Amino acid sequence: MIAVDQFEPHWSVVECLVEEILESELKRIFAQTSEQFVARIAVWVRQQEIPKFSITSAGRDEFDIEEDVDVRLRFQRTLNPERHRFSIQAHFAENWRRNLPAQLHVTGDIDTSGKWPRFRVLRSSTSRTGAWERW
């Protein structure tokens, strides 16, 4: 990805992406452990972090407790102004010690031509290592 093409989308796109894709992926992973999670969501543009909000397995809010999932959302423009690429990277603190998925990586695209954004997942994977991937 060319770093110049990265951008921060309208808040509604971030909200929809979290609701439609991220929350279900996190719940699926944490169902293996029957544990609750607190995830810190941030949009990253190049090397700049733009914090957004936190979510838990029970809902969304601001929390005083420490998050155990760090989520980076990245967005990239394409030649079609109504289509963008997205990447979700999530790191799960301490999961690697229990031989559980320690990282989630989802990539796809967004069609913004309609009233609501439509997301298409192109790749979704988990790994047991904790290194951030470059995108």
Side-chain angles (χ1 to χ4, degrees):
M1 164 182 275
I2 300 170
V4 176
D5 295 330
Q6 292 183 17
F7 72 103
E8 178 186 5
H10 189 267
W11 64 268
S12 62
V13 173
V14 174
E15 292 274 336
C16 287
L17 181 65
V18 168
E19 288 176 9
E20 290 187 26
I21 297 174
L22 179 62
E23 286 180 346
S24 62
E25 290 285 339
L26 291 177
K27 287 178 182 178
R28 180 183 57 80
I29 289 170
F30 279 88
Q32 299 175 37
T33 63
S34 300
E35 293 180 8
Q36 301 292 315
F37 65 84
V38 179
R40 181 178 174 276
I41 312 295
V43 171
W44 281 70
V45 178
R46 297 170 204 84
Q47 297 305 314
Q48 179 186 4
E49 177 183 19
I50 306 163
K52 293 300 178 185
F53 49 83
S54 295
I55 61 172
T56 71
S57 44
R60 188 177 314 185
D61 206 350
E62 295 293 326
F63 302 97
D64 293 332
I65 61 174
E66 186 174 332
E67 293 93 350
D68 55 359
V69 180
D70 188 19
V71 179
R72 294 181 179 183
L73 306 177
R74 293 187 185 267
F75 299 88
Q76 177 188 23
R77 290 182 178 89
T78 64
L79 294 176
N80 179 345
E82 295 178 336
R83 184 181 163 271
H84 310 294
R85 290 181 52 208
F86 71 85
S87 170
I88 300 171
Q89 287 184 303
H91 280 217
F92 314 114
E94 303 301 317
N95 272 12
W96 62 273
R97 292 182 194 271
R98 296 177 292 189
N99 200 28
L100 295 169
Q103 181 175 336
L104 167 70
H105 191 201
V106 180
T107 58
D109 59 20
I110 308 165
D111 179 355
T112 59
S113 62
K115 184 175 180 178
W116 300 104
R118 288 189 315 245
F119 301 95
R120 180 175 59 160
V121 172
L122 300 175
R123 189 185 120 210
S124 178
S125 63
T126 58
S127 69
R128 300 194 189 284
T129 63
W132 288 107
E133 290 184 30
R134 284 195 47 86
W135 191 62

